Amino acid sequence: MRGLKTNEGKKFEKFFELVQTEARKQNGVFFLSSDEGNNKETEEMEISDLSGWLIPDAQAKEFEKIWEKSSDSDELDSWSEKFFTFAFWTEINGEIAIKFKMF
């Protein structure tokens, strides 16, 4: 799945689809860095706050090449300054909502 480097399992991928749907609403793609806690598991999903890069569609292919091969954070530093983002989830009336926030 785009935005994930590893196989995270079907339940997490279902949640990650919600994250990507919200990213698309902002004309972007979310590339996962790590799980940030606030975990919840349901019958259908494994849910967590996430950190990563919310990259505009026009730059996603360029970033993806660096992100896929990079184990050195220096290569990602210039991208992190502009695009490193947290994806926070909330549950509203039984529905999971995603909000992106940069610090």
Side-chain angles (χ1 to χ4, degrees):
M1 173 177 274
R2 190 171 198 194
L4 296 176
K5 284 187 179 179
T6 59
N7 182 358
E8 300 293 335
K10 290 182 180 186
K11 286 178 137 185
F12 181 79
E13 287 180 4
K14 184 164 183 159
F15 168 68
F16 199 71
E17 286 176 22
L18 295 176
V19 175
Q20 291 296 25
T21 297
E22 188 60 35
R24 281 190 295 277
K25 290 178 186 176
Q26 297 186 31
N27 298 312
V29 179
F30 186 78
F31 294 88
L32 181 64
S33 175
S34 66
D35 174 328
E36 297 295 333
N38 191 26
N39 301 331
K40 178 177 181 174
E41 186 169 350
T42 70
E43 288 183 27
E44 297 179 357
M45 288 188 270
E46 289 178 6
I47 302 164
S48 177
D49 291 339
L50 306 173
S51 61
W53 298 264
L54 181 58
I55 305 295
D57 286 332
Q59 296 172 281
K61 283 186 182 181
E62 178 185 358
F63 176 81
E64 190 168 22
K65 289 177 188 175
I66 295 166
W67 174 78
E68 284 180 342
K69 70 178 177 107
S70 181
S71 59
D72 180 2
S73 62
D74 289 344
E75 290 186 72
L76 295 170
D77 279 351
S78 64
W79 293 90
S80 293
E81 290 174 18
K82 290 184 177 181
F83 303 113
F84 198 79
T85 305
F86 291 84
F88 297 108
W89 71 273
T90 57
E91 188 171 357
I92 302 168
N93 297 325
E95 298 290 321
I96 302 299
I98 307 298
K99 297 285 183 196
F100 293 110
K101 186 168 183 177
M102 297 178 86
F103 292 95

